[in-house]
Amino acid sequence: MRGYLLGPKNPPSRCLKVSERVAILDAIDKKSLGDNQHNGSEKIPTLSQAAQKAGFGNEKTARQATKVVHEGAPELIEAGNDSFYKI
């Protein structure tokens, strides 16, 4: 992944490719209950919260992008990564 500082002025949707946002979503999604059992302070995010953290507008868009990145043709993935086409 590219080294960007993410924050209110640079949300993930502005500076990361769709496939990079899907990778973030996958990493957040792989957390399971019990991963933080010793800490207890961190809550496992819902799919909707994870989608927003990864830079998607909502969970439906995140699911669609995930399906394209995991199952789509390389040309389709590249078109999704192109800044001209928005997801």
Side-chain angles (χ1 to χ4, degrees), residues 22-59:
V22 168
I24 292 170
L25 185 65
D26 287 345
I28 293 170
D29 193 37
K30 286 187 178 161
K31 281 187 160 186
S32 61
L33 260 97
D35 280 354
N36 61 348
Q37 65 185 358
H38 299 293
N39 185 347
S41 62
E42 184 183 347
K43 293 183 179 180
I44 304 298
T46 64
L47 180 56
S48 180
Q49 292 168 333
Q52 290 204 331
K53 286 184 179 190
F56 295 104
N58 56 49
E59 65 182 87

